[in-house]
Amino acid sequence: MITSAKESHGQRIFYAIAGAAVTPLMSLATAPILAQSLGVLGRGELAAGMAPMLFAVAVGALGIPEALTFHVARHAGGARKVLKRAFWILTFLGMSTAAIVALSASLLSDGNTDIEQLIFITAILTVPTFWASVPNSVLAGNHQWKQAARIDLCLAAVRLLVLSVFAMASLLTPLTAMMVMLGIPLIKGIVMLPYLFAYIRERRNLPPARARLINYGSRLWAGSLAGIVLLRLDQLLMVPFGNAAQLGLYVVAVSLGEIPALLSGAVRNVVFSSDAESSHRPEDQDRLQQTARLTSAATALGSLGIGVALPWAVPLLFGDSFAAAVAVSWVILAGVALGTPGSIAGAGLSARGRPGLRSIGMVIGAVLNTAILLATVPVLGAMGAALATLAGSIVAGTMNIVWLRAHFGMPMRGFFGLRGADFQLILTGISKMTGKKRVHAASK
């Protein structure tokens, strides 16, 4: 049975971070396996084969999964009818997106038949990927972060195990790697079906809530499109404008440089669902800004630590052929750290019913990103793509903070730096954790 246990904002963030951390950390563990088994060229072909489907799924959903999360959080008692509507909308969008992915294969593969074959196969997985987003949205809207974290941990471990076995058996190719990386995450949607059915049964006799999924989702869509441009367009266009080897370097750099982003991504999800539930009190504003400050500080420290370790870690784990990815990773780390305050602010903006404003900022950042990408990738390769992402992320994030200042009166300075209250909160949290450990030890 799905319950809506009242966890604190901090507990929600903890479980969301735990769940969000599992997949990237396991991906980091699998990254050397893929790099050493496939080489620079093979790793690039794998990324090129997956990029069109990942790009199209994120864009083609038209913000419906996020809209479903919003309405489940707002109307927890009457969202049953909304689920059915979301399912059929996503089915239609998934079929349309799958056709587009298949049609793009020839163009985006740039004559590489291996990449073209991979793109065709990913098109088959498009509709199931859309379906899997429905139970994900229900769990997020009901703040079931602990359950999601457990499922993510199990599936990530399975993916790591399967890839390791394939590598040891010399069976790891771009094709088998792609089937594992895209297929296993779909199991999460299947595993969560009991939660979804329980949610529907519990609300069978409640009056349906009015929900305009397409209306809300379409306002998010422009921002989602721009966000995907910031995150995915580089990998989509790297082969036509550069080559597969440069893409191989770039995906390794991204896997390393975006490790700190798992923190901001998890916190952003919690902020969105929590603020959608309650965002009109003064303490809600203070909570949003404090969350942004603390998350930014943690992300910056993580980025610094990772950046220092990269010069020796990359050759050791990935091989000397990937040494050029170190400098690219530094640029990506800088973009993640500098873009975190705006990322958290964007979640708060959407939760306050103004996703269109967030979308405007994302569009501005995406336009800048695309311009720099097209100008620099043919010359600088992977480094050009990293510089484009850096510029776009900073501009898009800053615009979110500007909108919150203009429309909700939140001081921009409240999103930056640390305050005495922030340090006090950190110390209180540490004190509670160590206190619990002492009590647990004394009870033994």
Side-chain angles (χ1 to χ4, degrees), residues 48-56 96-112 115-120 122-123 236 240:
M50 294 171 57
M53 181 263 202
L54 296 176
F55 184 91
S96 303
T97 302
I100 294 173
V101 171
L103 292 173
S104 71
S106 177
L107 175 65
L108 296 177
S109 63
D110 196 35
N112 187 317
I115 296 177
E116 186 174 3
Q117 179 189 30
L118 294 177
I119 295 175
F120 278 127
T122 61
L236 190 69

Coordinates of all heavy atoms in Angstrom, one line a residue, residues 48-56 96-112 115-120 122-123 236 240:
A48 N 26.6 7.4 -29.4 CA 25.9 7.9 -30.5 C 24.6 7.1 -30.8 O 23.6 7.7 -31.3 CB 26.8 7.8 -31.8
G49 N 24.6 5.8 -30.6 CA 23.4 5.0 -30.8 C 22.3 5.3 -29.8 O 21.1 5.2 -30.1
M50 N 22.7 5.6 -28.6 CA 21.7 5.9 -27.5 C 21.2 7.3 -27.5 O 20.1 7.6 -27.1 CB 22.3 5.6 -26.1 CG 22.6 4.1 -25.9 SD 23.5 3.8 -24.4 CE 22.5 4.5 -23.2
A51 N 22.0 8.2 -28.0 CA 21.7 9.6 -27.9 C 20.3 10.0 -28.6 O 19.6 10.8 -27.9 CB 22.8 10.5 -28.5
P52 N 20.0 9.6 -29.8 CA 18.7 10.0 -30.4 C 17.5 9.6 -29.5 O 16.6 10.4 -29.4 CB 18.7 9.3 -31.7 CG 20.2 9.1 -32.1 CD 20.8 8.8 -30.8
M53 N 17.5 8.4 -29.0 CA 16.4 7.9 -28.2 C 16.3 8.7 -26.9 O 15.2 9.1 -26.5 CB 16.5 6.4 -28.0 CG 15.4 5.8 -27.2 SD 15.8 5.7 -25.4 CE 14.7 4.4 -24.9
L54 N 17.4 8.9 -26.2 CA 17.4 9.6 -25.0 C 16.9 11.1 -25.2 O 16.2 11.6 -24.4 CB 18.8 9.6 -24.3 CG 19.3 8.2 -23.9 CD1 20.7 8.3 -23.4 CD2 18.3 7.6 -22.8
F55 N 17.4 11.7 -26.2 CA 17.0 13.0 -26.6 C 15.5 13.1 -26.9 O 14.7 13.9 -26.4 CB 17.8 13.5 -27.8 CG 17.6 15.0 -28.2 CD1 18.3 16.0 -27.6 CD2 16.5 15.3 -29.1 CE1 18.1 17.3 -28.0 CE2 16.3 16.6 -29.4 CZ 17.1 17.6 -28.9
A56 N 15.0 12.2 -27.7 CA 13.6 12.2 -28.2 C 12.7 11.8 -27.0 O 11.6 12.4 -27.0 CB 13.5 11.2 -29.3
S96 N 4.8 8.1 -31.5 CA 5.2 9.2 -32.4 C 6.7 9.4 -32.3 O 7.4 9.5 -33.3 CB 4.5 10.5 -32.1 OG 3.1 10.3 -32.2
T97 N 7.2 9.4 -31.1 CA 8.7 9.6 -30.8 C 9.5 8.4 -31.4 O 10.6 8.6 -31.9 CB 8.9 9.8 -29.3 OG1 8.2 10.9 -28.8 CG2 10.4 10.0 -29.1
A98 N 9.0 7.2 -31.2 CA 9.7 6.0 -31.8 C 9.9 6.2 -33.3 O 10.9 5.8 -33.8 CB 8.9 4.8 -31.4
A99 N 8.8 6.6 -34.0 CA 8.9 6.8 -35.4 C 10.0 7.8 -35.8 O 10.8 7.6 -36.7 CB 7.6 7.2 -36.0
I100 N 10.0 8.9 -35.0 CA 11.0 10.0 -35.3 C 12.4 9.4 -35.1 O 13.4 9.7 -35.9 CB 10.7 11.2 -34.4 CG1 9.4 11.8 -34.8 CG2 11.9 12.2 -34.6 CD1 8.9 12.9 -33.9
V101 N 12.6 8.7 -34.0 CA 14.0 8.1 -33.7 C 14.4 7.2 -34.9 O 15.5 7.3 -35.4 CB 13.9 7.3 -32.4 CG1 15.2 6.5 -32.2 CG2 13.7 8.3 -31.2
A102 N 13.5 6.4 -35.4 CA 13.9 5.5 -36.5 C 14.2 6.2 -37.7 O 15.2 5.9 -38.5 CB 12.7 4.5 -36.7
L103 N 13.4 7.3 -38.0 CA 13.7 8.1 -39.2 C 15.0 8.9 -39.2 O 15.5 9.2 -40.2 CB 12.5 9.0 -39.5 CG 11.2 8.3 -39.9 CD1 10.0 9.4 -39.9 CD2 11.3 7.6 -41.2
S104 N 15.4 9.2 -37.9 CA 16.7 10.0 -37.8 C 17.9 9.1 -37.9 O 19.0 9.7 -38.0 CB 16.6 10.7 -36.4 OG 16.9 9.8 -35.4
A105 N 17.8 7.8 -38.0 CA 19.0 7.0 -37.9 C 20.0 7.2 -39.0 O 21.2 7.4 -38.7 CB 18.6 5.5 -37.9
S106 N 19.6 7.4 -40.2 CA 20.5 7.6 -41.3 C 21.2 8.9 -41.2 O 22.5 8.9 -41.4 CB 19.7 7.5 -42.6 OG 20.6 7.7 -43.7
L107 N 20.5 9.9 -40.8 CA 21.1 11.3 -40.7 C 22.2 11.3 -39.6 O 23.3 11.8 -39.8 CB 20.1 12.3 -40.6 CG 20.5 13.8 -40.3 CD1 21.3 14.3 -41.6 CD2 19.4 14.7 -40.0
L108 N 21.8 10.9 -38.4 CA 22.6 11.1 -37.2 C 23.7 10.1 -37.1 O 24.7 10.3 -36.4 CB 21.7 11.0 -36.0 CG 20.7 12.1 -35.8 CD1 19.8 11.9 -34.6 CD2 21.4 13.5 -35.8
S109 N 23.7 9.0 -37.9 CA 24.8 8.0 -37.9 C 25.9 8.4 -38.8 O 27.0 7.8 -38.7 CB 24.3 6.6 -38.3 OG 23.8 6.6 -39.6
D110 N 25.7 9.4 -39.7 CA 26.7 9.9 -40.6 C 27.3 8.8 -41.4 O 28.5 8.8 -41.6 CB 27.7 10.7 -39.8 CG 28.6 11.6 -40.7 OD1 28.1 12.1 -41.7 OD2 29.8 11.7 -40.4
G111 N 26.5 7.8 -41.8 CA 27.0 6.8 -42.7 C 27.6 5.6 -41.9 O 28.0 4.6 -42.6
N112 N 27.6 5.6 -40.6 CA 28.2 4.5 -39.8 C 27.0 3.5 -39.6 O 26.1 3.7 -38.9 CB 28.7 5.0 -38.5 CG 29.4 3.9 -37.7 OD1 28.9 2.8 -37.6 ND2 30.5 4.3 -37.1
I115 N 26.3 2.4 -35.9 CA 25.5 3.3 -35.1 C 24.0 3.3 -35.6 O 23.1 3.4 -34.8 CB 26.1 4.7 -35.3 CG1 27.5 4.8 -34.6 CG2 25.2 5.8 -34.6 CD1 28.2 6.1 -34.8
E116 N 23.8 3.3 -36.9 CA 22.5 3.3 -37.5 C 21.7 2.1 -36.9 O 20.5 2.2 -36.6 CB 22.5 3.2 -39.0 CG 21.2 3.3 -39.7 CD 21.3 3.4 -41.2 OE1 22.4 3.3 -41.7 OE2 20.2 3.6 -41.8
Q117 N 22.3 0.9 -36.8 CA 21.6 -0.3 -36.3 C 21.2 0.0 -34.8 O 20.1 -0.4 -34.4 CB 22.5 -1.5 -36.4 CG 21.9 -2.8 -35.8 CD 22.8 -3.9 -35.7 OE1 24.0 -3.7 -35.6 NE2 22.4 -5.1 -35.9
L118 N 22.1 0.5 -34.1 CA 21.8 0.8 -32.6 C 20.6 1.8 -32.5 O 19.8 1.6 -31.6 CB 23.0 1.4 -32.0 CG 24.3 0.5 -31.8 CD1 25.4 1.3 -31.2 CD2 23.9 -0.8 -31.0
I119 N 20.6 2.8 -33.3 CA 19.5 3.7 -33.3 C 18.1 3.1 -33.6 O 17.1 3.3 -32.9 CB 19.7 4.9 -34.2 CG1 21.0 5.7 -33.8 CG2 18.5 5.9 -34.2 CD1 21.4 6.8 -34.7
F120 N 18.1 2.2 -34.5 CA 16.9 1.5 -34.9 C 16.4 0.6 -33.7 O 15.2 0.6 -33.4 CB 17.1 0.6 -36.1 CG 17.0 1.3 -37.4 CD1 18.0 1.2 -38.4 CD2 15.8 2.0 -37.7 CE1 17.9 1.8 -39.6 CE2 15.7 2.7 -38.9 CZ 16.8 2.6 -39.9
T122 N 17.0 1.2 -30.5 CA 16.5 2.0 -29.4 C 15.1 2.5 -29.6 O 14.3 2.8 -28.7 CB 17.4 3.2 -29.2 OG1 17.5 4.0 -30.4 CG2 18.8 2.8 -28.8
A123 N 14.7 2.6 -30.9 CA 13.4 3.1 -31.2 C 12.3 2.1 -30.7 O 11.2 2.5 -30.2 CB 13.2 3.3 -32.7
L236 N 24.2 14.3 -29.3 CA 23.4 14.0 -30.6 C 24.1 14.5 -31.8 O 24.1 13.8 -32.9 CB 22.1 14.7 -30.5 CG 21.0 14.3 -31.5 CD1 20.5 12.9 -31.3 CD2 19.8 15.3 -31.5
P240 N 27.9 13.8 -36.4 CA 27.8 14.6 -37.6 C 28.8 15.7 -37.7 O 29.3 16.0 -38.8 CB 26.3 15.0 -37.6 CG 25.6 14.1 -36.8 CD 26.6 13.8 -35.7

